[in-house]
Amino acid sequence: MAGVSAGTVDRALHNRGRVNPEVAERIRKIAKELGYRPNAIAKGLSKRKDNMKITIILHISKTNFFFDDVMIGIKQGYDELIDYGMTIDIKYTSDFNADDQLRNIDEAIAERTNGIIIVPICDSRISARLNGISSAGIPVVFLTNLIDGTEYDSFVGCDYELSGQIAAGLMNLASPAGGRLLVFIPSLAMYGHRLRLKGLRETIERDYPAIRLQEYIELTNDEISDYQITRKKLEEHPQTDQIICPGAFGRGCLTAIKDSGFFGKAKIIAYDCSRIMIQALRERNIMAIIAQQPTLQGYTAVKTMASILTGSEETPRHDNFIKTRILLAEHIPEIEKSYEEERRKIRGPLP
Amino acid sequence: MAGVSAGTVDRALHNRGRVNPEVAERIRKIAKELGYRPNAIAKGLSKRKDNMKITIILHISKTNFFFDDVMIGIKQGYDELIDYGMTIDIKYTSDFNADDQLRNIDEAIAERTNGIIIVPICDSRISARLNGISSAGIPVVFLTNLIDGTEYDSFVGCDYELSGQIAAGLMNLASPAGGRLLVFIPSLAMYGHRLRLKGLRETIERDYPAIRLQEYIELTNDEISDYQITRKKLEEHPQTDQIICPGAFGRGCLTAIKDSGFFGKAKIIAYDCSRIMIQALRERNIMAIIAQQPTLQGYTAVKTMASILTGSEETPRHDNFIKTRILLAEHIPEIEKSYEEERRKIRGPLP
DNA sequence: CTGTTAGCGCATTCAC
DNA sequence: GTGAATGCGCTAACAG
């Protein structure tokens, strides 16, 4: 229509230069009038040869199965990327070790990765390294956790502050007359947990003053010491009738609550849908779980990265909050069915 | 590798006939060994010329905004199908009129549609017609509602029975000592509402006998008569301290609850996230909303149909339950942000 | 600066 | 029965 060839149109529309400004203008105008939209799948087919590689840096931990669920989502996402010729490389950082994670990052760069998805550890060196990478043009997507004051292209995870607010609202719903609340939180080294606590505290203060937040106790993520800490704190606060506890790392904490005789005595809300929490929910020992859909997080992270890598437009930094769900005992069959289905949907293993 | 051309491989792998059985076997074996998987996007590009058309048959109603949200999801899904050369045609049935819907169906067939997504009305003629269509090879996807004893390829909507169970669980959470419950339900002409009631009743009987289900009242979906019915029933049951009411069609019902002085007096759970219910939640007049994610339903329906149409394998009938969410007052900012974002994400209007 | 060509993986059509 | 050729829409490389 513009009397030029496809190649010229391509260059004009993508500002690749080497094209007469007047012609380019004419082409853009016509494209606009026609409502032209590039065909994403054709572009994908064509770009297939680029062989993009995405590196995912996760944590490995024997007591936290959260990332097992994240992995399922990653596989689902990867499954859709294979057709685009993209590749995924997964690296594990052991024990939330910053040095180890730093090494993972450097390795990824050395291997000329095209983008990094990472569950970042709060550490100034990690932060500095990621800032460098992001500004060097390699996109960085934060998964599940985020670091304060660090550059990133997208954050995929739950809205922690909101999840704290929701716990407050749910506790109020369960005991409108208020109560004595004890909050156990996983290591605050994870910035998200800090935000969650903030949301919880502010909401209680503002909207539910009848709830008395007796103390919030930071746990260690070590099963045994968490057990000991929890027992000790419950002894110190025998009047406790409301408890909020972690789910993913919550085994030690929950066992202590049970052994201290607080099952049935306190209303308990747990974060995250670990096996042990599901069991406790089934037996009506805990009231509800606030789940953050780890599988969807993994899936969304991969898809987000893919869209950053293929997207022509400069995508501005964009938080991609995955909605949490409040789960009751009635949800258990649904949860279990989902587990099966999600596992079934996966076609092949990762490379 | 098999010493044959691409064409032969294609015929062999898709059992299109006209290929030497021995050669076909050899090809299949090699394909299996290689873990060959057809590239979905290349197939999409190639199939583009087929110009598939999907017909969506929705309801139009001035008092029910549920389908406005469904439409957003449909647009999102359509947006992803454009690249595959697929087209969407939307027909509206007015006032849940079976004759009108029947006409819509016939029209779609006359226009040689490739697949029908429908919010089916419970009517034997509709049922019969859809049975014919489905067995004639045109896939039928049920959206939001389903009909008992009718063939379909997929149902996309919430698990109604579960959503009834969840309401029971939530009510128990809010008042463990039990209460006097009144349940208002939209027209039972919608089979899903019947299932929801079933889930609610059974769960109360089995697990929460302290909740006394005084009566369940079927509404008409007409705002004025719903108002009158609700007022009358609340007068009959002045001791009521627990109410479950519809959200999408709940305006008349909710206003009556308010005018009868039950705000603050009864714990109220609403289904579906209509404007009026969000407002009531914000003002703390209702306790919670059980939402069925209409946008995700619309999106999933379109994607499901697309996958049926493009999928080579015979997909067995498959329910695609969209998970519900329990929403509290704290969720309101999230809900409103989602609204905006979802609207923003849509690139162009429907044709 | 611009046009041409080839190729991404698959399906279809038409010769042989 | 089989192979070769063509096209889906886009991009990259190269030739002019």
Side-chain angles (χ1 to χ4, degrees):
Chain A
M1 280 191 57
V4 293
S5 73
T8 308
V9 172
D10 185 55
R11 283 186 293 264
L13 257 31
H14 296 87
N15 305 309
R16 295 192 216 281
R18 298 181 308 156
V19 53
N20 186 327
E22 290 168 31
V23 179
E25 188 48 49
R26 182 155 45 98
I27 291 172
R28 272 194 288 271
K29 183 154 164 282
I30 294 175
K32 189 159 196 174
E33 279 168 10
L34 259 54
Y36 170 79
R37 259 186 39 186
N39 185 315
I41 68 168
K43 180 186 294 191
L45 232 207
S46 167
K47 285 264 187 188
R48 210 174 181 290
K49 343 167 199 181
D50 291 5
N51 270 323
M52 296 267 209
K53 180 164 79 175
I54 298 173
T55 303
I56 306 181
I57 301 176
L58 294 177
H59 298 283
I60 189 159
S61 162
K62 291 185 191 82
T63 51
N64 185 344
F65 299 98
F66 185 85
F67 292 112
D68 292 351
D69 293 334
V70 173
M71 266 306 298
I72 294 178
I74 288 174
K75 283 186 181 145
Q76 286 174 7
Y78 174 61
D79 216 59
E80 294 179 23
L81 294 194
I82 292 178
D83 291 341
Y84 290 86
M86 293 205 188
T87 291
I88 278 185
D89 181 35
I90 300 184
K91 298 183 188 298
Y92 293 96
T93 303
S94 53
D95 298 326
F96 292 81
N97 179 321
D99 287 308
D100 201 24
Q101 185 163 76
L102 215 50
R103 211 173 309 126
N104 284 156
I105 296 172
D106 292 338
E107 219 175 280
I109 299 300
E111 290 161 359
R112 318 195 62 74
T113 190
N114 296 94
I116 294 179
I117 297 175
I118 186 170
V119 184
I121 293 171
C122 286
D123 183 288
S124 58
R125 288 168 305 159
I126 302 272
S127 190
R129 193 71 49 99
L130 290 177
N131 276 337
I133 289 167
S134 181
S135 52
I138 296 179
V140 172
V141 169
F142 282 169
L143 173 57
T144 303
N145 192 32
L146 68 178
I147 323 186
D148 199 18
T150 304
E151 283 173 40
Y152 60 92
D153 294 81
S154 181
F155 164 65
V156 176
C158 85
D159 183 337
Y160 283 99
E161 202 166 336
L162 179 61
S163 77
Q165 295 167 2
I166 288 167
L170 189 59
M171 206 47 110
N172 170 70
L173 190 151
S175 37
R180 287 156 186 276
L181 173 64
L182 216 50
V183 181
F184 295 95
I185 32 186
S187 164
L188 286 182
M190 218 155 152
Y191 182 61
H193 296 148
R194 211 177 289 270
L195 292 174
R196 180 182 286 167
L197 185 60
K198 175 169 179 277
L200 178 73
R201 294 178 65 172
E202 287 178 356
T203 304
I204 288 177
E205 278 172 28
R206 177 167 22 84
D207 297 329
Y208 311 117
I211 296 178
R212 188 165 140 217
L213 202 177
Q214 307 176 110
E215 191 179 346
Y216 59 89
I217 299 112
E218 184 176 352
L219 297 175
T220 62
N221 296 3
D222 172 73
E223 203 169 315
I224 303 204
S225 59
D226 283 355
Y227 178 87
Q228 294 165 336
I229 294 170
T230 306
R231 290 220 64 156
K232 177 158 166 289
K233 287 299 174 181
L234 285 170
E235 258 175 55
E236 285 176 25
H237 302 282
Q239 302 292 318
T240 300
D241 55 6
Q242 300 178 322
I243 298 175
I244 294 176
C245 68
F249 273 117
R251 197 190 169 86
C253 181
L254 190 73
T255 311
I257 293 171
K258 178 186 176 190
D259 291 353
S260 302
F262 279 81
F263 274 2
K265 188 169 146 192
K267 312 216 172 195
I268 305 173
I269 296 174
Y271 280 103
D272 296 331
C273 219
S274 61
R275 303 283 163 169
I276 188 170
M277 287 303 164
I278 291 175
Q279 185 56 24
L281 188 62
R282 179 185 288 116
E283 294 169 359
R284 311 255 172 186
N285 291 325
I286 68 175
M287 187 175 77
I289 292 173
I290 298 177
Q292 58 172 315
Q293 308 206 69
T295 305
L296 186 55
Q297 286 190 16
Y299 176 79
T300 307
V302 171
K303 295 287 276 186
T304 300
M305 177 56 85
S307 114
I308 291 173
L309 289 177
T310 59
S312 45
E313 329 101 47
E314 274 307 306
T315 337
R317 180 206 279 205
H318 179 63
D319 285 339
N320 214 333
F321 289 138
I322 304 300
K323 293 180 179 124
T324 58
R325 295 185 74 213
I326 297 172
L327 303 177
L328 310 180
E330 281 73 20
H331 282 102
I332 287 177
E334 182 195 74
I335 297 169
E336 289 178 342
K337 225 183 74 193
S338 285
Y339 262 73
E340 281 171 37
E341 273 179 23
E342 281 168 358
R343 267 156 230 272
R344 199 159 36 72
K345 258 192 282 182
I346 297 172
R347 289 195 274 185
L350 284 174
Chain B
M1 280 190 56
V4 293
S5 74
T8 307
V9 172
D10 186 56
R11 284 186 292 264
L13 257 31
H14 296 88
N15 305 308
R16 294 191 218 282
R18 297 183 308 157
V19 53
N20 186 327
E22 290 168 32
V23 178
E25 189 47 51
R26 182 158 44 102
I27 291 171
R28 273 193 287 272
K29 182 155 167 282
I30 294 176
K32 189 158 195 177
E33 278 168 10
L34 260 54
Y36 170 78
R37 258 185 42 187
N39 185 316
I41 67 168
K43 180 186 295 190
L45 230 208
S46 167
K47 284 262 186 190
R48 210 174 182 290
K49 339 164 200 180
D50 291 2
N51 270 323
M52 297 265 209
K53 181 162 80 174
I54 298 173
T55 304
I56 306 181
I57 301 176
L58 294 176
H59 297 282
I60 189 159
S61 162
K62 291 184 188 82
T63 51
N64 186 343
F65 298 99
F66 185 85
F67 292 112
D68 293 351
D69 293 334
V70 173
M71 267 305 299
I72 294 179
I74 289 174
K75 283 187 182 144
Q76 287 174 8
Y78 174 61
D79 216 60
E80 294 179 21
L81 295 194
I82 293 179
D83 291 341
Y84 290 86
M86 294 206 189
T87 292
I88 277 185
D89 181 34
I90 300 185
K91 298 184 187 299
Y92 292 96
T93 304
S94 54
D95 298 327
F96 291 81
N97 179 320
D99 287 310
D100 202 23
Q101 184 162 78
L102 215 50
R103 210 174 309 126
N104 284 155
I105 296 172
D106 291 338
E107 218 175 280
I109 299 299
E111 291 162 358
R112 318 194 62 76
T113 189
N114 297 93
I116 294 180
I117 297 175
I118 187 170
V119 184
I121 293 172
C122 285
D123 183 288
S124 58
R125 288 169 303 159
I126 301 272
S127 190
R129 192 72 49 102
L130 291 176
N131 277 336
I133 289 168
S134 181
S135 51
I138 296 180
V140 173
V141 169
F142 283 169
L143 174 57
T144 303
N145 193 30
L146 69 177
I147 325 187
D148 201 16
T150 304
E151 283 173 40
Y152 60 90
D153 294 80
S154 181
F155 164 66
V156 176
C158 84
D159 183 336
Y160 282 99
E161 203 167 334
L162 179 62
S163 77
Q165 295 168 1
I166 289 167
L170 190 57
M171 204 50 107
N172 170 70
L173 190 151
S175 37
R180 288 156 184 275
L181 173 63
L182 217 50
V183 180
F184 295 95
I185 31 185
S187 165
L188 286 183
M190 217 154 154
Y191 182 60
H193 296 147
R194 211 177 288 270
L195 291 175
R196 182 182 284 167
L197 184 59
K198 175 169 179 277
L200 178 73
R201 294 178 65 172
E202 288 178 356
T203 304
I204 288 177
E205 276 172 30
R206 178 169 20 88
D207 297 330
Y208 311 117
I211 297 178
R212 189 165 137 217
L213 203 178
Q214 307 176 108
E215 192 179 348
Y216 59 89
I217 299 112
E218 183 176 352
L219 297 174
T220 62
N221 295 3
D222 173 72
E223 200 168 320
I224 303 205
S225 58
D226 283 355
Y227 179 87
Q228 293 165 336
I229 293 170
T230 306
R231 290 220 64 156
K232 178 157 164 290
K233 287 298 176 181
L234 284 170
E235 259 175 54
E236 286 175 26
H237 301 283
Q239 303 292 320
T240 300
D241 55 7
Q242 300 179 322
I243 298 175
I244 293 177
C245 68
F249 274 116
R251 199 192 169 86
C253 182
L254 191 73
T255 312
I257 292 171
K258 177 185 178 189
D259 291 354
S260 303
F262 279 81
F263 274 4
K265 190 169 144 191
K267 311 217 171 192
I268 304 173
I269 296 173
Y271 280 103
D272 296 331
C273 219
S274 61
R275 303 283 163 172
I276 188 171
M277 287 303 164
I278 292 175
Q279 186 56 25
L281 189 62
R282 180 186 287 115
E283 294 168 358
R284 312 256 172 183
N285 291 324
I286 67 174
M287 186 176 77
I289 291 173
I290 297 177
Q292 59 172 315
Q293 309 207 68
T295 305
L296 186 54
Q297 286 191 15
Y299 176 78
T300 308
V302 171
K303 295 286 275 186
T304 300
M305 178 57 85
S307 112
I308 292 174
L309 289 177
T310 59
S312 46
E313 329 101 46
E314 275 307 306
T315 337
R317 178 206 279 204
H318 180 63
D319 286 339
N320 215 331
F321 289 139
I322 304 301
K323 293 182 180 123
T324 57
R325 296 184 76 213
I326 298 172
L327 303 176
L328 309 181
E330 281 73 19
H331 282 102
I332 288 178
E334 183 195 73
I335 297 169
E336 290 178 340
K337 224 183 75 191
S338 284
Y339 261 73
E340 283 172 37
E341 273 179 21
E342 280 168 358
R343 268 155 229 272
R344 197 157 38 72
K345 258 192 280 182
I346 297 172
R347 289 195 272 187
L350 283 177

